[in-house]
Amino acid sequence: MAFIRKKPREQQLQLYSRERFSLLLLNLEEYYFEQHTANHIQHKGNRNERKIRGSLKICSKSVIFEPDAISQPIIKIPLRDCIKIGKHGENGASRHFAKAVPGGISLIFSQVYFIKEHNIVAPYKTERGTMEYVFELDVSGKVDDVVETLLQLHRASCLDKLGDQTAMITAILQSRLARTSFDKNRFQSVSETLHMECKAEMVTPLVTNPGHVCVTDTTLYFQPLNGYPVSQPTGQGMRPSHRSVCLQALSRELDFTGTETFVCETIFLLFKTPVVQITLQDVRRIYKRRHGLMPLGLEVFCTEDDLCSDIYLKFYEPQDRDDLYFYIATYLEHHVAERSAESYTLQWQRGHLSNYQYLLHLNSLADRSCNDLSQYPVFPWVVSDYSSPELDLSNPGTFRDLSKPVGALNKERLERLLARYQEMPEPKFMYGSHYSSPGYVLFYLVRIAPEYMLCLQNGRFDNADRMFNSIAETWKNCLDGATDFKELIPEFYGDDISFLINSLKLDLGKRQGGQMVDDVKLPPWARSPEDFLRKSREALESSYVSEHLHEWIDLVFGYKQKGGDAVGAHNVFHPLTYEGGVDLNSMEDPDEKVAVLTQILEFGQTPKQLFATPHPRRITPRFKSGSQPSSCNASTADSPERRRLTRLPLDAVSPGEESFEDLTEESRTLAWSNITKLQLYEQHRIHKEAVTGIAVSCNGSSVFTTSQDSTLKMFSKESKMLQRSISFSNMALSSCLLLPGDGTVISSSWDNNVYFYSVAFGRRQDTLMGHDDAVSKICWLDSRLYSASWDSTVKVWSGVPPEMSAARRHQFDLLAELEHDVGVDTISLNAAGTLLVSGTREGTVTIWDLTTATMLHQIPCHSGTVCDTAFSPDSRHVLSTGEDGCLNVIDVQTGMLISSMTSDEPQRCFIWDGNSVLSGSQSGELLVWDLLGGRSTDRIRGHAGAVTCMWMNEQCSSVITGGEDRQITFWKLQY
């Protein structure tokens, strides 16, 4: 599974016969301190005297003896059950033995556990009654020190208050850590420079191992205090010369085959004091983690997609964690910065991430880790039909309602829970158990991780009738059970069937009906475990789930997780499960603190909230999207006839039309995939100041430009000559557009007016005086003009026909006024003319519904003036650029900022196709951006000053730019 490393079966069985001790034999929150080779003396002085060779391990709450012979059980003696501890033969400590044992340690106790006899994983056997065991150390000179350590730990275990026990054991641990340091001889090179060293614990499921962390200019190291062998990923951060025997499991915890989806083969070093070492250049992801609701965790990945990390560290001080994070990030040549949830949302919406991959990323960003069972990745139940002979993914009734938590799926049960909730004193909660907890994770994984279950449940498996016996039974209990609200784990949508079959032949008990617990019973529609996982994954990736998954994300990771929205969605859990639900640092009573922390870790934790607004829907291929790129010249949108064609359902388009659309779309896709091959082929200086707008006639022969020199100019591409120069006033012109038919050019001016120029008659034919300050941008669609102004308004005007008569002045009617708090610098329309986006000088982007003239979303996403905005061709997203150098993608439906990239300079204008962006920079370069990859992919030299405006033809093969260098530049795509 996610935390069980993959290993060839024959190698697994070989290891299974040799490796028995693991940290999982310890109690929760227990530490393993040291070990000594020793003999267990049985029947001393009798003819049946035996010496059993093995290793004596000193732990914070127990003494463990691991015999070398696998036929002998591992012995675990809880220190709290010890009556007397001392050197054998001293102070009457040898009453069961005729003669003192030199170098012997005597333990008199009332309870002992026997574990893994014949190396069989099974519930622990317990023996009670007063007994004495004697252990003879190989090094007799260590007896005094070992006895002193045992007496000290025994005193801690016998303290009345749990908080006092924890405090004393912590003090012992810290004292040991303070007396040691990282062994610098373990550096890979003598030339390495140490940058930081501190104390920390390596976290694996249910256990932690204390030691020392250090980071050099090339490598991250962890050295355990107890010398217990640690695992390390093969192929990442480790030189082949330092690899040895491959071991399976976290810190050699288990010897079972694990999932292929999350796998990481492991190795460990057969040094006297082993270390984990990770080469910094191999690191791909770093995440700061909550551990026990405290900001103390750090998880490092050497892969892009695996859920299984290369190391998870828990620090004792937040500052140490933050410092190490800083050093790793600083000294990483190939460091990939921690990404936000929104950066993955755009990839998921556009189909570049599957539902499965997206949920994995969200889990990781929400502090869910396979190393922390209280925060194990959570996945939804998506199928509700576990009785039909066939799984019909075309039937909505096959699926679970993803808009509701599991606890609200059964109406009658919910009514009972709500009645109790209403009568409950504050703090109220609807559900007494969580949807994800260590117990639930191991409920699903017991067949592949039995030792984890035994560790969690004090050496016992659960009752056979409460085990994971059947998919259908488990689902039914989640629907009907009074306290069962659990969701699923990623393994249900992976490709490793091992958690569904009892391949280890474990004795998991007998059910009331007499049948033994063996393999998990599958639904009728699953022909085999492989078929079950395959169909479950198909269900997760189905159209129905893709259209509704955002509703489940709202519940688990989003805005319905907390507050009034959570109450309305019947999604309220115990307050201790939420981040910030309790401040452990403010608790003065150590007993209360330990009790609360234990409850948090065992009960489960709600993921960190990632989204504060409704999550966007996934874009499903139900409609053909309009494909004209949005640009600075998007003011002249597609014709209504073309828009109607491209918005038709796929099954309503005739074969001929569909072929035409597909051909056009294919050519555009090809052009954008080669956009980095854009070649400059002409430049013309036709203005005296910066160019502010570009409009091109339908046949491409005439180019109209406006400038801050107050002129509108007409340039011929064929003759490469300036044909006209028109001045309307002595104030700068800010933008221009051509009306359909190419008979009229409209220009906006800083003198508060909009000018209409007749190309045929060569004169100004009308003036619209509609603003109290400079008009910054204009758009036109369907006989309506949209004007933005520094007077803090965007106005919608009617009475602007495509072909204006030069003989008379027109009556312009104000249809709507969209008010802003500050001046508006840019606007853009969507292809259908139903939405408008505006950008202000204070950095706010606002999306408006033009059918009702109301504001949909207001997003303050820039720290300075918004330079440009545009809708994606399918109107699902808005892209904005600003003086702060940011390129922000906003989801139109929810108003969520779902992607943000930062440039080292402002991007003054842009064109985009929804996935890629061609932007004009302050320095005069054209930049190509991969929005889904979140990075700039190319720079193309162009202007000597800022690129201020941009135009692209419908085929996406030709680009014209204007700049502060007063030039217009012609570009062609060469491929």
Side-chain angles (χ1 to χ4, degrees):
M1 307 342 303
F3 57 88
I4 312 282
R5 304 319 200 225
K6 187 181 180 184
K7 176 128 317 276
R9 185 70 181 175
E10 59 276 8
Q11 192 175 24
Q12 167 216 318
L13 293 174
Q14 183 182 13
L15 289 169
Y16 187 55
S17 67
R18 297 177 181 176
E19 302 298 335
R20 294 200 293 163
F21 174 77
S22 81
L23 298 181
L24 291 169
L25 299 182
L26 279 58
N27 295 343
L28 295 177
E29 302 298 312
E30 183 176 7
Y31 297 106
Y32 166 39
F33 284 140
E34 60 191 53
Q35 72 169 352
H36 305 273
T37 52
N39 294 315
H40 177 206
I41 311 297
Q42 292 184 337
H43 312 297
K44 177 66 178 175
N46 297 336
R47 70 173 66 181
N48 297 325
E49 177 180 324
R50 294 177 61 195
K51 286 188 177 182
I52 299 176
R53 187 73 173 160
S55 173
L56 186 68
K57 304 176 190 299
I58 310 302
C59 306
S60 59
K61 297 179 181 180
S62 62
V63 176
I64 295 176
F65 181 75
E66 179 189 17
D68 292 343
I70 64 170
S71 61
Q72 296 292 321
I74 294 174
I75 298 168
K76 179 178 178 180
I77 305 170
L79 287 171
R80 69 174 181 274
D81 294 326
C82 287
I83 301 169
K84 196 175 187 67
I85 300 173
K87 293 172 65 177
H88 187 253
E90 183 179 79
N91 299 326
S94 59
R95 61 178 185 158
H96 295 281
F97 293 88
K99 185 177 178 182
V101 178
I105 297 173
S106 169
L107 300 176
I108 300 175
F109 50 87
S110 60
Q111 183 171 239
V112 61
Y113 298 103
F114 299 103
I115 306 168
K116 295 178 77 171
E117 187 173 4
H118 296 289
N119 208 22
I120 296 173
V121 177
Y124 302 171
K125 296 178 181 179
T126 307
E127 186 176 330
R128 295 182 176 87
T130 303
M131 293 163 275
E132 180 180 11
Y133 279 9
V134 174
F135 301 97
E136 178 187 38
L137 301 188
D138 278 10
V139 182
S140 59
K142 292 186 176 180
V143 170
D144 289 335
D145 290 339
V146 172
V147 169
E148 182 180 351
T149 298
L150 288 174
L151 290 171
Q152 189 180 31
L153 293 171
H154 178 251
R155 287 195 296 272
S157 296
C158 293
L159 292 172
D160 293 335
K161 295 184 176 181
L162 189 60
D164 293 338
Q165 292 181 28
T166 302
M168 185 171 178
I169 291 172
T170 300
I172 294 170
L173 171 63
Q174 292 299 322
S175 175
R176 285 174 169 258
L177 287 170
R179 294 196 304 268
T180 59
S181 62
F182 183 85
D183 182 4
K184 308 304 187 296
N185 291 322
R186 295 298 167 213
F187 283 176
Q188 288 283 286
S189 169
V190 293
S191 62
E192 285 185 64
T193 303
L194 176 66
H195 286 285
M196 177 185 174
E197 180 180 351
C198 65
K199 299 174 289 186
E201 297 176 13
M202 192 172 79
V203 179
T204 55
L206 299 182
V207 294
T208 61
N209 203 13
H212 296 275
V213 170
C214 77
V215 62
T216 69
D217 51 349
T218 63
T219 310
L220 170 68
Y221 297 93
F222 174 79
Q223 186 172 35
L225 175 68
N226 50 35
Y228 182 70
V230 289
S231 12
Q232 177 157 322
T234 359
Q236 300 292 346
M238 199 64 185
R239 296 181 182 178
S241 60
H242 290 85
R243 294 178 188 157
S244 189
V245 182
C246 287
L247 292 186
Q248 178 186 353
L250 305 167
S251 302
R252 296 196 322 174
E253 304 304 353
L254 289 177
D255 305 306
F256 310 127
T257 303
T259 182
E260 186 169 340
T261 306
F262 307 109
V263 299
C264 269
E265 272 199 316
T266 59
I267 64 157
F268 93 98
L269 310 176
L270 298 180
F271 294 142
K272 182 177 180 181
T273 308
V275 297
V276 172
Q277 50 198 47
I278 296 174
T279 305
L280 296 184
Q281 68 179 9
D282 290 333
V283 176
R284 290 295 174 266
R285 292 180 290 147
I286 313 171
Y287 295 102
K288 295 179 181 179
R289 296 292 193 210
R290 283 182 305 162
H291 190 276
L293 294 187
M294 301 286 285
L296 299 173
L298 183 71
E299 196 161 20
V300 179
F301 295 78
C302 291
T303 56
E304 289 289 353
D305 299 318
D306 276 352
L307 188 62
C308 181
S309 67
D310 292 78
I311 191 168
Y312 187 136
L313 297 170
K314 171 201 168 187
F315 296 82
Y316 298 108
E317 298 295 335
Q319 190 60 51
D320 287 341
R321 189 276 304 268
D322 294 343
D323 288 345
L324 185 66
Y325 180 90
F326 169 78
Y327 279 122
I328 292 177
T330 301
Y331 290 95
L332 258 181
E333 182 179 358
H334 303 294
H335 173 61
V336 177
E338 197 171 328
R339 298 183 67 171
S340 66
E342 292 81 4
S343 66
Y344 292 112
T345 302
L346 181 63
Q347 296 184 52
W348 171 72
Q349 277 194 291
R350 300 228 167 243
H352 291 257
L353 285 178
S354 66
N355 292 337
Y356 177 80
Q357 291 171 319
Y358 186 51
L359 289 175
L360 284 184
H361 284 303
L362 294 186
N363 272 283
S364 188
L365 290 164
D367 283 341
R368 314 301 286 189
S369 168
C370 63
N371 285 302
D372 185 351
L373 296 190
S374 68
Q375 298 188 92
Y376 200 77
V378 56
F379 270 59
W381 289 94
V382 297
V383 173
S384 63
D385 179 3
Y386 294 100
S387 59
S388 298
E390 299 294 334
L391 186 65
D392 183 2
L393 298 182
S394 65
N395 178 11
T398 298
F399 298 93
R400 165 256 183 107
D401 185 347
L402 289 165
S403 68
K404 298 177 181 179
V406 169
L409 293 176
N410 183 321
K411 184 178 179 181
E412 293 181 0
R413 180 178 63 177
L414 178 62
E415 289 174 353
R416 294 194 299 269
L417 292 169
L418 291 178
R420 188 192 66 172
Y421 174 77
Q422 297 300 330
E423 298 171 358
M424 188 180 295
E426 295 291 345
K428 295 182 177 183
F429 55 90
M430 296 176 185
Y431 308 113
S433 62
H434 205 255
Y435 51 76
S436 176
S437 69
Y440 288 159
V441 173
L442 296 177
F443 167 84
Y444 291 126
L445 300 182
V446 64
R447 289 168 178 79
I448 193 65
E451 289 188 86
Y452 288 87
M453 177 66 83
L454 294 173
C455 176
L456 184 69
Q457 300 204 149
N458 299 315
R460 299 186 302 274
F461 290 132
D462 205 349
N463 180 279
D465 287 295
R466 291 197 299 267
M467 297 286 273
F468 181 32
N469 293 300
S470 160
I471 303 291
E473 285 181 13
T474 301
W475 168 246
K476 185 178 185 302
N477 201 54
C478 289
L479 286 182
D480 302 334
T483 60
D484 193 349
F485 315 109
K486 59 178 171 286
E487 293 278 10
L488 297 182
I489 55 177
E491 284 76 1
F492 278 82
Y493 304 104
D495 54 10
D496 184 350
I497 64 170
S498 56
F499 76 104
L500 297 171
I501 57 177
N502 187 15
S503 59
L504 299 171
K505 302 304 177 184
L506 299 167
D507 183 359
L508 298 173
K510 184 181 292 185
R511 304 189 68 182
Q512 288 183 356
Q515 64 270 42
M516 297 296 296
V517 175
D518 197 27
D519 295 348
V520 177
K521 184 179 179 181
L522 302 175
W525 47 257
R527 307 293 183 261
S528 65
E530 292 86 353
D531 189 49
F532 171 75
L533 293 186
R534 180 179 60 80
K535 288 177 177 175
S536 296
R537 181 65 174 265
E538 288 175 358
L540 180 66
E541 304 299 340
S542 66
S543 295
Y544 179 90
V545 174
S546 294
E547 291 170 6
H548 294 276
L549 186 59
H550 65 281
E551 297 172 332
W552 186 83
I553 292 172
D554 284 337
L555 295 169
V556 177
F557 302 105
Y559 81 107
K560 291 183 179 179
Q561 187 193 91
K562 299 178 183 178
D565 290 308
V567 175
H570 305 135
N571 194 40
V572 182
F573 295 85
H574 195 285
L576 285 180
T577 68
Y578 294 94
E579 183 178 27
V582 62
D583 184 2
L584 293 175
N585 289 325
S586 66
M587 291 185 177
E588 297 181 358
D589 185 345
D591 287 336
E592 180 187 8
K593 186 173 183 178
V594 171
V596 168
L597 183 58
T598 301
Q599 184 177 353
I600 289 169
L601 295 177
E602 294 183 359
F603 187 85
Q605 298 178 53
T606 299
K608 181 169 68 177
Q609 188 174 19
L610 300 178
F611 307 103
T613 57
H615 191 280
R617 294 175 180 266
R618 191 170 198 188
I619 299 173
T620 53
R622 182 174 296 179
F623 296 98
K624 273 190 176 294
S625 62
S627 52
Q628 177 178 338
S630 300
S631 69
C632 289
N633 198 40
S635 48
T636 51
D638 286 351
S639 67
E641 291 78 11
R642 178 175 176 78
R643 289 198 308 277
R644 282 195 292 272
L645 172 65
T646 58
R647 301 299 288 184
L648 283 172
L650 288 175
D651 57 4
V653 180
S654 70
E657 291 170 325
E658 186 173 1
S659 299
F660 173 77
E661 277 298 307
D662 290 344
L663 181 63
T664 306
E665 185 64 35
E666 183 178 345
S667 65
R668 292 192 182 99
T669 302
L670 180 63
W672 273 100
S673 66
N674 289 277
I675 199 69
T676 56
K677 299 177 182 178
L678 208 59
Q679 298 289 327
L680 186 157
Y681 74 96
E682 283 183 18
Q683 279 188 315
H684 302 276
R685 182 169 296 179
I686 60 175
H687 285 283
K688 297 179 180 179
E689 298 292 341
V691 182
T692 57
I694 301 172
V696 181
S697 60
C698 288
N699 60 12
S701 62
S702 298
V703 178
F704 297 86
T705 59
T706 51
S707 169
Q708 289 183 4
D709 64 9
S710 77
T711 62
L712 166 68
K713 296 191 185 272
M714 178 177 172
F715 180 83
S716 171
K717 282 186 65 179
E718 295 175 352
S719 66
K720 297 180 175 51
M721 295 183 60
L722 184 65
Q723 293 183 322
R724 300 183 192 179
S725 179
I726 307 100
S727 181
F728 302 115
S729 73
N730 59 358
M731 298 288 285
L733 298 180
S734 55
S735 67
C736 64
L737 59 86
L738 265 169
L739 293 185
D742 298 342
T744 302
V745 181
I746 309 178
S747 302
S748 56
S749 173
W750 284 6
D751 67 2
N752 311 350
N753 297 326
V754 177
Y755 295 99
F756 295 80
Y757 174 79
S758 171
V759 178
F761 291 93
R763 67 185 184 192
R764 180 174 67 185
Q765 60 191 116
D766 217 332
T767 303
L768 171 62
M769 296 178 285
H771 287 278
D772 298 323
D773 205 337
V775 182
S776 54
K777 184 74 178 289
I778 51 174
C779 298
W780 183 93
L781 183 64
D782 292 346
S783 298
R784 291 186 178 182
L785 179 70
Y786 303 82
S787 58
S789 171
W790 295 351
D791 66 5
S792 306
T793 66
V794 173
K795 295 183 178 181
V796 185
W797 308 89
S798 67
V800 186
E803 294 292 339
M804 295 187 67
S805 169
R808 64 180 181 85
R809 298 180 65 85
H810 288 78
Q811 177 66 41
F812 300 107
D813 298 321
L814 180 62
L815 298 180
E817 184 171 331
L818 311 179
E819 296 186 352
H820 298 67
D821 295 330
V822 293
V824 182
D825 272 55
T826 183
I827 56 171
S828 181
L829 298 171
N830 73 331
T834 56
L835 299 172
L836 179 144
V837 59
S838 59
T840 70
R841 59 181 53 185
E842 289 190 355
T844 299
V845 173
T846 307
I847 301 173
W848 301 84
D849 181 351
L850 293 177
T851 62
T852 59
T854 57
M855 180 191 301
L856 294 178
H857 307 290
Q858 190 173 54
I859 308 101
C861 55
H862 292 280
S863 58
T865 298
V866 179
C867 297
D868 199 6
T869 59
F871 286 90
S872 59
D874 59 9
S875 301
R876 301 280 190 141
H877 298 116
V878 162
L879 176 66
S880 65
T881 59
E883 283 185 342
D884 55 4
C886 290
L887 292 85
N888 295 326
V889 180
I890 299 163
D891 180 73
V892 171
Q893 178 202 2
T894 63
M896 179 188 291
L897 178 64
I898 60 172
S899 178
S900 184
M901 297 182 296
T902 303
S903 171
D904 54 5
E905 59 181 337
Q907 302 301 306
R908 296 281 296 273
C909 56
F910 66 85
I911 305 165
W912 73 315
D913 71 340
N915 296 320
S916 301
V917 181
L918 178 67
S919 66
S921 70
Q922 183 70 31
S923 63
E925 293 178 308
L926 301 186
L927 274 68
V928 179
W929 299 83
D930 175 11
L931 285 178
L932 302 178
R935 60 194 175 92
S936 171
T937 59
D938 204 4
R939 289 175 174 265
I940 308 169
R941 296 188 63 179
H943 290 264
V947 183
T948 52
C949 52
M950 187 178 293
W951 172 89
M952 177 183 277
N953 69 342
E954 187 176 353
Q955 292 74 31
C956 308
S957 59
S958 178
V959 173
I960 305 175
T961 57
E964 286 186 347
D965 59 1
R966 299 167 285 173
Q967 296 193 103
I968 56 171
T969 302
F970 294 82
W971 308 78
K972 277 188 178 178
L973 204 54
Q974 302 289 344
Y975 62 92

